[in-house]
Amino acid sequence: MSESAKPHHPSPQGKGEKTHGGDFSYVGIDAILEQMRRKAMKQGFELNLMVVGQSGLGKSTLMNTLFKSKVSRNKSVQSDPEERIPKTVEIKSISHDVEEKGVRMKLTVIDTPGFGDQINNENCWQPIMKFINDQYEVYLQEEININRKKRIPDSRVHCCIYFIPPTGHCLRPLDVEFMSRLSKVVNIVPVIAKADTLTLEERGSFKQTIREELRANGIDVYPQKEFDEDAEDRMINDKIREMIPFAVVGSDQEYQVNGKRILGRKTKWGTIEVENVAHCEFAYLRDLLIRTHMQNIKDITGSIHYETYRVRRLNESNAHLISQPSDHPAGSLLQ
Amino acid sequence: MASTEIARQAGEGVRGVPLAGHVGFDSMPDQLVNKSVNRGFCFNILCVGETGLGKSTLMDTLFNTKFEGEPTQHNQPGVTLKSYTYELQESNVRLKLTVVNTVGFGDQINKEDSYKSIVEFIDAQFEAYLQEELKIKRTLHSYHDTRIHACLYFIAPTGHSLKSLDLVTMKKLDSKVNIIPIIAKSDAISKSELAKFKIKITSELVSNGVQIYQFPTDDESVAEINSTMNSHLPFAVVGSTEEVKIGNKMVKARQYPWGTVQVENENHCDFVKLREMLIRVNMEDLREQTHTRHYELYRRCKLEEMGFKDTDPDSKPFSLQETYEAKRNEFMGELQKKEEEMRQMFVQRVKEKEAELKEAEKELHEKFDRLKKLHQDEKKKLEEKKKSLDDEVNIFKQKKTAAELLLNQAQQAGGSTTLKRDKERKNFF
């Protein structure tokens, strides 16, 4: 391996790129990639996903399909057919350790039963906002500590998957309200749930409407336009932006199709294959979330959303404390 | 291996779940690596050693380039640190390398303060990072990290033992930076002497409690090679940028009349080992140790020094901001108190001075009165005298007139005699 050649002399400020030709001039700097990979494998990864949507849209099933195991809240066989619908939005978070080819990951799925299920759904996003901000707060407190842990456990929500019911018309006010509020604090990936009720044309027009509505309301979903790093990134992300929201179908049952066992939904008129891109866009969602953009999602959460929260939090505690001393003398006089 | 680790973590309350198929998150390390490649890496080396031990040459040899600078003189008044930053690229990896050289180390007559400038420099880098971390609006991911990741300590090849300057400096630096001791210009020592020298050095370091950097042995893939290398510390190196033809290859070597020392020959010197350890195997670990151990230690000490605590007596966590504000109020209170004190002192002094001045004024008045009285007395006396004199004059005048009267009467009685007398008098003239 040889170093790249740039023919110019070192300038007086002490910067220079110099090379030597030849095989024995290999220094070995690129071995750092291998070292980094080893360290990452040893440490493992953490991923926190939140699923938000009305009950019955297939959130848990989709999670199970994504990670090919039962990661969502347990639905035991003996449960009541009508599960109790919570009076307020609850936040249930379940963690699992999964491992694939030596790579360990701590996956946390955060479920929000009760969202959008009441008659009056005002402020149903508040418990969710509070939860997300609480996770940022915990991380901030740990970071500010004097004696802090070697690796701060990351419980911040990296990605929020929002389920849109497949009405085929347009976004409901609840959807718009929720997404516009939460897109500022967390990465939102909207998906059209139970997309096997829409034909391809209906799906196309529904998506178009949704995209226009998102643009009209100024909602920036992941991948956000402003965080594209370079032209290559922009190209890849533009392709993704053309496709959101993904129309997905989830299933954790396997069927035999053409001699292969694949995940799907069997109906009288055919079998919908989950991983077939001609049937639904599950594969794209999985690739985006897991195979290509996971690190990017975590980086944006860590460096942009978290930093925004931190700035706001430090500023407001600053302002709060500056106004405090004016209270004290009066108080002490009363004493 | 994997199942035991999952089982271990299951004990923490998180259960492991087996996957039914290929999910795809095994590409995570690749994503992470790609991200880092885009961002670039930075690595900072500090070279500490006496002038003329071959520090710059070794850096040139290690990284295969010709770095800046001419050899330094020996007459520096104190130890200064000069840092140079270079951008190197190999295949697709960009490395921002900073080499910091100690200029004038060990040259002074009195070397007591030599280590101080080095410690200050290292602390300054930590401080800069701490400041950036504590900022409200910060850009940590694009921050150019200048903290020293590795310190190569060059030991002079005396063959006997460590110098006391070396021991003192290394003791001061071992809690701040990863120290890797190397024996410089080791072609001056023979093989048997070298073995004895190494043993002596390691035993001296151990007996003085100096903690040098140990290559990590907890990762299986590198544990073996790291532990063998640990036993070869300190590395005996020879640096050279000149190339000599050996056989039909050009190798880096030093040519002597009695033979040629090949730099990359493991039988001749430990240069290859040093390069392996420093760059190819442990660069990432050095960076991590600097960040998690040395930097955290500095941060903890610095914040505790400033008076921050993690929890108050009720074990409720303080926020940094609150503590900072409390400190600031305390400080302002102190300032105000001091101001009050000064003001009071000032007022007191003014009063004293006023009293003094009043005293003086009174005295002056008294003096004035006294003088005035004196003056009046004098005046009176004079007037009395004048009066008495006038009286005398009057009496005299009276007597004179009385006498003249008598004279006139006498004259009229014997008037002619006077005429005669007058004529006589006139004839006289």
Side-chain angles (χ1 to χ4, degrees):
Chain A
M1 288 210 202
S2 57
E3 297 167 316
S4 68
K6 277 248 175 94
H8 72 90
H9 287 285
S11 53
Q13 289 95 15
K15 266 188 184 263
E17 281 184 32
K18 277 298 205 173
T19 84
H20 276 270
D23 291 323
F24 54 86
S25 62
Y26 169 64
V27 177
I29 299 177
D30 55 357
I32 197 175
L33 298 182
E34 189 52 43
Q35 298 169 27
M36 201 170 236
R37 180 169 295 134
R38 256 199 340 259
K39 185 175 89 167
M41 304 266 285
K42 198 168 73 145
Q43 272 179 354
F45 298 90
E46 284 171 317
L47 183 68
N48 307 317
L49 286 179
M50 179 185 261
V51 282
V52 183
Q54 283 179 297
S55 42
L57 280 181
K59 304 190 288 286
S60 314
T61 317
L62 186 70
M63 281 294 110
N64 293 344
T65 324
L66 257 180
F67 291 101
K68 290 205 167 55
S69 54
K70 293 222 178 315
V71 292
S72 274
R73 53 189 166 125
N74 275 332
K75 285 195 172 151
S76 53
V77 186
Q78 289 98 358
S79 68
D80 299 316
E82 358 173 317
E83 275 187 6
R84 172 188 72 90
I85 291 185
K87 287 278 184 286
T88 55
V89 179
E90 294 173 355
I91 313 269
K92 288 209 175 103
S93 121
I94 302 179
S95 294
H96 301 275
D97 269 331
V98 288
E99 192 253 336
E100 189 177 54
K101 293 209 179 107
V103 177
R104 286 176 301 116
M105 187 163 80
K106 180 161 178 260
L107 172 70
T108 308
V109 175
I110 303 157
D111 205 349
T112 54
F115 178 83
D117 285 337
Q118 279 82 42
I119 295 178
N120 183 354
N121 283 315
E122 270 177 18
N123 298 333
C124 63
W125 50 81
Q126 265 177 8
I128 299 176
M129 287 271 283
K130 182 166 178 316
F131 178 80
I132 294 177
N133 284 335
D134 281 346
Q135 305 312 306
Y136 287 148
E137 182 66 31
V138 163
Y139 194 86
L140 180 67
Q141 285 304 326
E142 185 58 41
E143 201 186 30
I144 287 186
N145 251 350
I146 302 221
N147 286 317
R148 49 190 192 184
K149 301 197 186 98
K150 207 165 185 179
R151 243 191 108 204
I152 306 178
D154 192 358
S155 61
R156 304 174 288 191
V157 178
H158 296 128
C159 183
C160 171
I161 305 180
Y162 187 76
F163 285 72
I164 301 173
T167 58
H169 297 170
C170 59
L171 285 177
R172 299 166 304 154
L174 175 63
D175 301 332
V176 172
E177 195 59 43
F178 179 87
M179 280 203 272
S180 65
R181 275 166 202 273
L182 256 75
S183 57
K184 298 189 180 56
V185 292
V186 75
N187 300 317
I188 293 194
V189 175
V191 297
I192 301 174
K194 297 203 167 170
D196 47 341
T197 58
L198 297 170
T199 64
L200 284 179
E201 296 86 25
E202 285 169 356
R203 191 198 287 177
S205 64
F206 189 29
K207 281 209 219 180
Q208 186 80 357
T209 325
I210 292 181
R211 274 202 293 272
E212 275 165 18
E213 277 198 45
L214 288 179
R215 215 185 345 255
N217 285 293
I219 301 173
D220 222 357
V221 297
Y222 184 81
Q224 291 97 339
K225 254 207 166 66
E226 45 185 340
F227 303 140
D228 284 338
E229 282 176 21
D230 50 28
E232 203 184 297
D233 251 5
R234 198 165 303 132
M235 231 169 51
I236 300 176
N237 289 343
D238 275 343
K239 279 204 216 109
I240 298 174
R241 281 189 274 264
E242 291 296 307
M243 280 200 284
I244 52 167
F246 296 108
V248 296
V249 174
S251 163
D252 42 12
Q253 288 185 316
E254 284 187 345
Y255 293 100
Q256 194 92 349
V257 171
N258 291 343
K260 284 194 299 175
R261 289 196 67 78
I262 48 138
L263 289 171
R265 284 174 66 75
K266 192 162 182 173
T267 60
K268 287 231 161 57
W269 48 90
T271 310
I272 304 157
E273 295 163 41
V274 166
E275 301 209 11
N276 189 338
V277 294
H279 291 194
C280 78
E281 293 172 341
F282 170 80
Y284 294 130
L285 175 71
R286 183 200 47 212
D287 286 346
L288 174 77
L289 269 188
I290 301 176
R291 292 191 189 168
T292 54
H293 283 72
M294 195 194 267
Q295 187 59 37
N296 187 242
I297 290 176
K298 287 171 62 164
D299 279 345
I300 291 188
T301 310
S303 56
I304 296 174
H305 293 299
Y306 170 69
E307 290 292 322
T308 317
Y309 175 80
R310 183 177 174 273
V311 167
R312 203 179 63 219
R313 182 82 173 75
L314 292 181
N315 274 336
E316 71 184 34
S317 67
N318 217 355
H320 162 70
L321 285 162
I322 285 176
S323 63
Q324 243 188 11
S326 60
D327 297 330
H328 278 184
S332 60
L333 276 176
L334 287 172
Q335 303 292 328
Chain B
M1 163 183 75
S3 53
T4 51
E5 279 164 358
I6 288 181
R8 177 171 47 106
Q9 276 170 345
E12 296 171 354
V14 178
R15 62 191 177 108
V17 165
L19 297 175
H22 176 70
V23 177
F25 59 83
D26 56 342
S27 64
M28 271 299 278
D30 293 320
Q31 293 179 34
L32 186 63
V33 164
N34 283 339
K35 200 98 205 189
S36 306
V37 165
N38 283 338
R39 209 177 296 158
F41 299 91
C42 63
F43 193 60
N44 308 318
I45 304 184
L46 169 68
C47 293
V48 182
E50 294 176 18
T51 326
L53 278 184
K55 303 189 284 285
S56 317
T57 316
L58 187 70
M59 285 294 112
D60 286 351
T61 325
L62 257 180
F63 290 102
N64 239 341
T65 69
K66 186 97 183 68
F67 288 136
E68 274 294 310
E70 347 81 13
T72 45
Q73 306 298 314
H74 281 259
N75 52 4
Q76 306 286 330
V79 179
T80 51
L81 288 106
K82 286 212 168 71
S83 79
Y84 300 98
T85 310
Y86 307 96
E87 287 201 16
L88 306 172
Q89 180 154 359
E90 193 171 75
S91 54
N92 59 342
V93 176
R94 284 176 298 119
L95 179 73
K96 223 182 215 164
L97 175 75
T98 307
V99 177
V100 185
N101 243 322
T102 49
V103 174
F105 187 78
D107 274 339
Q108 295 82 35
I109 295 179
N110 183 358
K111 296 181 233 184
E112 274 177 9
D113 295 336
S114 301
Y115 69 87
K116 284 203 185 132
S117 35
I118 305 179
V119 170
E120 270 169 22
F121 180 81
I122 297 177
D123 279 346
Q125 309 312 311
F126 283 148
E127 184 65 33
Y129 191 84
L130 182 65
Q131 289 301 323
E132 180 65 31
E133 203 188 16
L134 288 180
K135 268 196 207 164
I136 294 196
K137 264 200 155 111
R138 58 189 191 178
T139 49
L140 269 183
H141 54 271
S142 56
Y143 175 74
H144 174 68
D145 192 1
T146 52
R147 300 175 291 183
I148 303 289
H149 299 124
C151 170
L152 293 178
Y153 196 92
F154 287 72
I155 301 172
T158 57
H160 295 172
S161 61
L162 283 175
K163 301 192 185 160
S164 45
L165 173 67
D166 294 339
L167 274 173
V168 165
T169 315
M170 277 205 264
K171 193 87 179 80
K172 293 279 179 207
L173 290 179
D174 69 352
S175 58
K176 294 204 178 276
V177 75
N178 303 315
I179 298 189
I180 302 177
I182 57 184
I183 302 173
K185 295 198 170 176
S186 62
D187 49 346
I189 316 182
S190 72
K191 231 182 165 79
S192 50
E193 282 173 1
L194 190 63
K196 274 193 276 185
F197 191 30
K198 281 195 186 181
I199 295 175
K200 192 82 193 347
I201 291 179
T202 12
S203 64
E204 275 197 348
L205 288 175
V206 163
S207 61
N208 280 290
V210 175
Q211 288 185 338
I212 54 176
Y213 175 71
Q214 295 292 325
F215 301 117
T217 48
D218 45 1
D219 189 359
E220 310 84 16
S221 43
V222 290
E224 211 188 289
I225 184 173
N226 274 346
S227 52
T228 37
M229 290 303 179
N230 271 332
S231 59
H232 278 123
L233 280 175
F235 294 128
V237 294
V238 176
S240 167
T241 44
E242 288 159 2
E243 287 173 15
V244 169
K245 203 171 172 74
I246 305 268
N248 50 2
K249 273 200 310 170
M250 297 293 285
V251 295
K252 289 195 275 265
R254 284 176 68 78
Q255 202 162 39
Y256 293 107
W258 50 88
T260 315
V261 181
Q262 292 162 36
V263 168
E264 287 178 341
N265 186 335
E266 294 218 37
N267 288 330
H268 290 193
C269 75
D270 291 336
F271 173 80
V272 174
K273 294 197 183 75
L274 174 69
R275 185 176 58 192
E276 274 292 311
M277 285 295 104
L278 189 63
I279 303 176
R280 294 187 193 171
V281 179
N282 293 309
M283 201 194 268
E284 185 58 33
D285 185 69
L286 283 165
R287 281 157 35 117
E288 194 177 334
Q289 289 288 333
T290 310
H291 181 67
T292 53
R293 221 170 37 157
H294 301 293
Y295 170 69
E296 284 297 312
L297 184 65
Y298 174 82
R299 178 177 178 274
R300 203 179 309 148
C301 295
K302 193 75 199 306
L303 291 180
E304 274 175 8
E305 203 181 280
M306 298 212 288
F308 294 113
K309 296 186 290 289
D310 263 343
T311 55
D312 66 355
D314 303 324
S315 76
K316 248 186 343 161
F318 266 144
S319 96
L320 209 70
Q321 202 64 27
E322 280 177 13
T323 331
Y324 174 71
E325 280 301 317
K327 272 259 147 205
R328 202 168 115 205
N329 289 339
E330 205 184 297
F331 184 63
M332 297 297 265
E334 262 182 47
L335 266 181
Q336 275 183 345
K337 230 173 27 182
K338 275 217 182 101
E339 217 180 304
E340 270 303 311
E341 267 180 38
M342 281 180 78
R343 199 177 296 151
Q344 289 210 359
M345 221 164 66
F346 178 70
V347 166
Q348 188 142 345
R349 281 235 197 94
V350 166
K351 276 203 185 121
E352 279 177 17
K353 203 67 184 218
E354 253 186 57
E356 253 177 61
L357 283 174
K358 273 211 175 100
E359 278 283 324
E361 206 182 326
K362 214 159 88 173
E363 250 176 70
L364 274 175
H365 273 295
E366 276 181 16
K367 209 167 169 189
F368 181 65
D369 285 338
R370 241 198 344 243
L371 280 174
K372 198 165 166 189
K373 196 152 168 249
L374 225 74
H375 176 251
Q376 277 184 341
D377 284 343
E378 291 261 339
K379 199 169 169 188
K380 227 196 249 177
K381 269 196 206 147
L382 279 172
E383 280 190 3
E384 276 180 16
K385 274 208 178 137
K386 188 175 174 203
K387 199 162 169 223
S388 63
L389 196 66
D390 278 341
D391 284 343
E392 278 187 19
V393 166
N394 280 341
I395 292 175
F396 177 71
K397 271 192 180 149
Q398 276 178 349
K399 279 194 181 160
K400 187 176 172 192
T401 32
E404 278 184 356
L405 208 65
L406 274 174
L407 205 61
N408 277 343
Q409 282 175 348
Q411 268 184 347
Q412 277 183 345
S416 51
T417 48
T418 48
L419 277 166
K420 231 195 221 175
R421 250 194 243 133
D422 282 339
K423 271 188 192 164
E424 281 178 20
R425 227 187 286 143
K426 275 191 191 153
N427 293 335
F428 229 74
F429 298 123

